[in-house]
Amino acid sequence: MSVDKATVEKIASLARIALRDGEAEAFVPELNQILDWVEQLGEVDVTGVEPMTAVIPNTLRLRDDLVDADPLTGGNRREDVLANAPAAEHGFFGVPKVIE
């Protein structure tokens, strides 16, 4: 694929990028070089290579889920939490209506 000045100007217009005089011409060879490089990547033989998301193996470090593990921050504290609410309704935070 090859890029010309009209294509650069169209891409700039779609991306809402203002180009000054001569900038479109300057971008033509740069974009062509990028596209050539991408085509070279497509020629690489990757048979037998497993897809990866990182170069080193990552595993998530998880903790055990303990309900009510801490008496200060655990569950069953609804009344204490709602005591800080500017408006509480039916056991929930009351919020002003935003849609009529």
Side-chain angles (χ1 to χ4, degrees):
M1 179 178 182
S2 180
V3 175
D4 58 355
K5 181 180 175 186
T7 306
V8 171
E9 289 171 347
K10 182 177 180 179
I11 292 170
S13 171
L14 292 172
R16 308 249 193 275
I17 297 173
L19 294 177
R20 287 175 276 187
D21 295 338
E23 281 186 325
E25 285 292 335
F27 284 125
V28 169
E30 290 183 34
L31 290 175
N32 282 323
Q33 288 176 353
I34 291 170
L35 291 175
D36 290 341
W37 182 73
V38 171
E39 286 181 15
Q40 287 179 2
L41 287 177
E43 296 172 3
V44 175
D45 182 22
V46 292
T47 54
V49 178
E50 293 292 322
M52 62 181 188
T53 57
V55 293
I56 58 173
N58 290 327
T59 56
L60 294 176
R61 291 172 279 174
L62 302 175
R63 62 171 172 77
D64 294 332
D65 284 336
L66 301 175
V67 178
D68 298 334
D70 186 352
L72 295 176
T73 60
N76 299 324
R77 307 279 304 187
R78 177 182 291 192
E79 302 309 320
D80 295 333
V81 171
L82 289 177
N84 296 320
E89 297 176 6
H90 311 293
F92 298 99
F93 282 91
V95 295
K97 192 176 198 178
V98 292
I99 299 176
E100 293 295 325

